[in-house]
Amino acid sequence: MRVLLVGSGGREAALAWAVAKSPTLDRLFVAPGNPGTALFGENVSIAAEDIPGLVRWAKTQKIDLVIPGPEAPLALGLTDALTEAGVACFGPCRAAARLETSKQFTKEICAEAGIPTAQAVSFSSTAAAQDYLRSKKAPIVVKADGLAGGKGVVVATEMAEATAAIEAMLTSRIHGDAGASVLIEEYLSGQEISLFAICDGETAVFCGAAQDHKRVGEGDTGPNTGGMGAIAPHPLATASVIDAAMARIIHPALAAMVRRGMPFRGFLFAGLMLTETGPHLIEFNVRFGDPECETLLPLLRTDILPVLADAAAGKLDRNVTLSWHDGASATVILAAKGYPEHYPRNVPINLGSSETLPGVTVFHAGTRKDEDGLVSSGGRVLAVNAVGDSLKSAVERAYAAVDSIDFPDGFCRRDIGAKALLTRV
Ligand code: AMP
Ligand code: GLY
């Protein structure tokens, strides 16, 4: 199989690493890729958002399967354009990508399919939103409807915060059109888990659950980021919780999308809150998570490439189950100091002996090679993963690897997995 992977982050480095192990792979190309993906395939200099460029290249190179990593090309219609050109793509069409790009759309699907989620009401008028808010109590959640670079959600612990958020989103339009309508949503409490399924339009196969650490600071403080580290499996994500999430959230969502005439193909990412009354959906994303992908793929025993190809062809065997290694996995993100705000680029990185340590894989995220060697080129720079017999050993191994990397302008959270290690089931 000739495969084109789209994207350039840690998630794509992990996908490249996993796909490259497949006996069914002939050639792997990554557009645009990074120095880490170049270890497993050939980087092609086409931007992930250049839809016509990607389609043209995939056609002339006789690509059998395109695997998009991030959501941006999906929201721009990459799958639709490839399908029209006769190239198979493991990703949702633009209409189905609305499960990530519109929170309002997701709420409609949830209502239609009876999916447990936080109760929410949508507003496009500031006065009506503020009126409704007066009938509610904190904590309460205010969300911009569209994509707002991870900054569109305010979990307000006091009513004044919620009022200000509505004003900022609806009146001042701090998120532009993404905030042209807002959701005011019930606050859910519990542990958050990211659950993944490989979907072919009708059938879904469970593809792992992990816990991300979204805030930049230890103890879950500071601004939200793309994710500062992840662990799997989480002690609360038991087989019965996973079965419940598949039965009450993933399968009903797929059925609802079929009814709407936009079957969902690709990785479906359910952000779950594990509440006292079972898993509730916080949000869907239409891609693998990052750093969840770097955390789950090292535990996967099954060759993922034929499964993705079958799913892209709408032929996923509903009896297929993925097989996993025993033990646990932990990923620590090494980020550039200042992330997620302003940070320097082009800072030299020396991986030292990190990659030779037991159980360790260092996935490149925001890196670049120049004449002098490896330098940083983004906020999240490296995803340092380790597997071990237990969560404790995976975490210790990941931090041993982090400590052997020389990147003085970098930082990481020192408490990845700490909450899970304290969790009593
Ligand atoms: P999102 O951008 O939708 O992933 O939301 C960002 C974060 O806000 C989530 O990871 C949760 O921690 C939090 N959040 C979102 N919705 C809720 C909710 N209804 N109740 C509690 N926390 C929430
Ligand atoms: N790590 C969360 C995400 O990929 O959105």
Side-chain angles (χ1 to χ4, degrees), residues 212 226-227 269 285 287 289-292:
D212 186 15
F269 169 162
N285 293 306
R287 52 179 173 78
D290 186 349
E292 291 94 326

Side-chain angles (χ1 to χ4, degrees), residues 157-173:
T157 46
E158 290 177 29
M159 289 317 272
E161 257 180 283
T163 310
I166 286 168
E167 194 61 34
M169 289 182 198
L170 278 180
T171 309
S172 309
R173 289 291 176 92

Side-chain angles (χ1 to χ4, degrees), residues 134-312:
R134 278 190 275 279
S135 69
K136 295 283 159 188
K137 283 207 197 85
I140 191 142
V141 184
V142 178
K143 296 185 173 181
D145 180 55
L147 288 181
K151 298 197 169 116
V153 175
V154 173
V155 179
T157 46
E158 290 177 29
M159 289 317 272
E161 257 180 283
T163 310
I166 286 168
E167 194 61 34
M169 289 182 198
L170 278 180
T171 309
S172 309
R173 289 291 176 92
I174 57 162
H175 303 307
D177 284 349
S181 73
V182 300
L183 294 179
I184 300 181
E185 188 168 297
E186 166 200 11
Y187 172 83
L188 298 175
S189 71
Q191 291 257 355
E192 266 182 85
I193 296 287
S194 311
L195 179 138
F196 301 91
I198 294 174
C199 306
D200 80 343
E202 292 189 357
T203 302
V205 170
F206 171 66
C207 182
Q211 184 165 58
D212 186 15
H213 297 63
K214 287 192 186 186
R215 302 293 196 98
V216 76
E218 276 142 28
D220 296 330
T221 53
N224 258 333
T225 69
M228 293 301 293
I231 58 104
H234 190 280
L236 294 179
T238 57
S240 73
V241 166
I242 287 162
D243 288 349
M246 292 297 291
R248 292 191 211 139
I249 297 174
I250 301 289
H251 292 301
L254 284 201
M257 294 300 278
V258 168
R259 286 197 296 275
R260 293 226 173 187
M262 47 179 88
F264 184 89
R265 249 170 224 175
F267 287 112
L268 186 55
F269 169 162
L272 303 178
M273 190 69 87
L274 304 185
T275 73
E276 280 173 3
T277 56
H280 280 56
L281 183 75
I282 294 185
E283 60 165 359
F284 277 129
N285 293 306
V286 299
R287 52 179 173 78
F288 221 135
D290 186 349
E292 291 94 326
C293 180
E294 298 94 302
T295 308
L296 289 168
L297 290 183
L299 286 176
L300 185 63
R301 203 193 280 268
T302 307
D303 177 1
I304 198 168
L305 184 54
V307 184
L308 300 186
D310 283 352

